[in-house]
Every structure is written in C-alpha cells, then in structure tokens.
Amino acid sequence: MSKFIVGLTGGIGSGKTTVSDIFATLNVDIIDADIAARTIVMPGSKALIEIESHFGQDFITPTGELDRTKLRSKIFSNVDEKVWLNNLLHPLIRTEILSQIAQATSCYCILVAPLLIENGLEKLVNRVLVINIDEASQVARTAERDPSSVAEIKRIITSQMPSQQRLSFADDIIDNQDISREEIKQQVLVLDQKYRALSLKHSI
C-alpha cells in the first residue's frame, strides 16, 4: 500500500521548521530532505570522500565533517561546481528520502524540502503545502538565525524558485506573514484533519 505524502516547501526563512514541528506534535512522521542530505555526507561516507577528492581537504573540518558554509559559498559563486555537486548528491538524497518514507508509520507523512519543486521531489508526493512569506521577512528571519550575510541570503533567495511560481504548484498554502505561532497552529490543525481524511481515501 502506497503512503499518503504531503510535500512541505517554502523559501529560506519562511517558517517550514515551525510548521513541521507542529505537525510532529500531532504524531505525524516528518522526513526532512536537509537531514537526509546531511546523513549521506556523514564522516566516512562515499559522498564525502568524493567531495573531498573533488574540492580538496580544505572543505573538510578538522573533525572530518563537511564544511557546509565553505561549500555553500563555493557553489553559489560557481555554477559548474554546483551542477557537479547536485549530480553527486541528488540521487543519494532521493534514495535516503524514499528509505525514510518507507519506514514512516503515521497515516500520512510530511516531506520537508526547501527545493521540493526545483529538485523534482514533488513527483514523490500526493499534495504540495507551501509556506509563504514576503522577501523582506525572509531576509530578516534568516539573518537572525544564520551567520550568513544579507547579500548571501539574498543570493540564496534568488537561486530558489520565485514565490509566485512556487505558489502555482501549491495544493495548500499557509500564509506565515505577521502571524503568531498559535495562528499557524490553527491552520496546521485544519490541514491535519484534511490530510487524515485524504490518506484514508488514498488507502482504500
């Protein structure tokens, strides 16, 4: 029996973690593409060995982990290197995500992926939930939690799908503009009931 999967996406700083954390409190299994991406480059992994061989030892920390900040800066300023890295990692990430989905036990599960649509992962899901917020708020929120410069954050936003284009893929939308966590929770509760009903139909 195939699982009912909701793809949760949104630009950087839009509030994806806040929303997925609320779903998690409702006993919904969360599969996070970013965590899958970290899993496949653990120290000693085949992918990390290939990254070190390609980019050099400078991109590995003294503790043997991937220096993400350094790698991110490198690929955002070099399209060819970004393509090389994507070709290496995307198939591995997809395999890891499918493995985690197979292990999910809740009646529906959520796949959180910032680049759900850009990376073609929307083909794995039954519905797309987009968290939407304006660009100024994205920059402000990301700068609060992340050491990246405003210029780098804006580069990341530019590299992601434009908001209107992302919304065109949405089956459901949470507008996270200037609302409280409690208001987000109310929207999540409504969606949870909807997804439970849809998953029931899906399993028949």
Side-chain angles (χ1 to χ4, degrees):
M1 184 184 70
S2 64
K3 289 196 171 68
F4 191 84
I5 308 160
V6 177
L8 189 162
T9 193
I12 188 172
S14 59
K16 295 181 294 297
T17 303
T18 299
V19 172
S20 64
D21 283 352
I22 297 169
F23 274 108
T25 67
L26 303 171
N27 297 316
V28 177
D29 288 332
I30 310 294
I31 292 95
D32 190 319
D34 283 349
I35 292 173
R38 283 198 284 276
T39 302
I40 62 160
V41 291
M42 298 282 269
S45 65
K46 178 174 173 284
L48 190 61
I49 291 163
E50 288 197 40
I51 288 168
E52 182 177 0
S53 170
H54 182 84
F55 289 102
Q57 206 173 350
D58 289 352
F59 288 83
I60 310 298
T61 68
T63 55
E65 293 169 306
L66 180 63
D67 188 330
R68 293 172 185 288
T69 308
K70 197 165 192 173
L71 186 62
R72 187 165 71 176
S73 295
K74 174 84 173 172
I75 64 169
F76 272 110
S77 59
N78 189 315
V79 175
D80 290 342
E81 297 289 31
K82 186 176 183 179
V83 169
W84 182 90
L85 188 69
N86 286 345
N87 287 340
L88 170 69
L89 298 182
H90 286 175
L92 298 171
I93 293 168
R94 191 184 184 90
T95 301
E96 178 64 26
I97 284 169
L98 288 170
S99 168
Q100 290 189 27
I101 287 171
Q103 292 168 45
T105 55
S106 51
C107 65
Y108 72 91
C109 62
I110 289 187
L111 169 58
V112 184
L115 301 176
L116 183 85
I117 298 151
E118 292 92 326
N119 290 347
L121 295 171
E122 87 282 356
K123 297 179 185 73
L124 299 178
V125 307
N126 301 96
R127 284 184 85 80
V128 174
L129 168 59
V130 173
I131 317 301
N132 196 45
I133 191 171
D134 69 26
E135 188 175 314
S137 301
Q138 280 184 271
V139 173
R141 285 178 178 207
T142 308
E144 268 178 30
R145 67 163 201 230
D146 196 300
S148 302
S149 66
V150 168
E152 187 156 344
I153 293 164
K154 286 186 173 176
R155 267 208 308 279
I156 293 168
I157 291 170
T158 304
S159 77
Q160 295 181 339
M161 185 174 279
S163 177
Q164 285 310 114
Q165 192 182 349
R166 189 186 295 113
L167 287 169
S168 72
F169 286 85
D171 297 296
D172 304 294
I173 298 166
I174 289 181
D175 187 347
N176 194 15
Q177 194 66 42
D178 303 323
I179 64 171
S180 67
R181 187 184 172 92
E182 188 53 42
E183 288 170 303
I184 297 171
K185 186 178 179 181
Q186 292 311 311
Q187 292 186 65
V188 169
L189 289 171
V190 171
L191 288 170
D192 176 61
Q193 291 304 309
K194 181 182 193 174
Y195 297 152
R196 286 177 192 275
L198 286 169
S199 69
L200 203 59
K201 282 185 193 168
H202 180 74
S203 66
I204 294 170

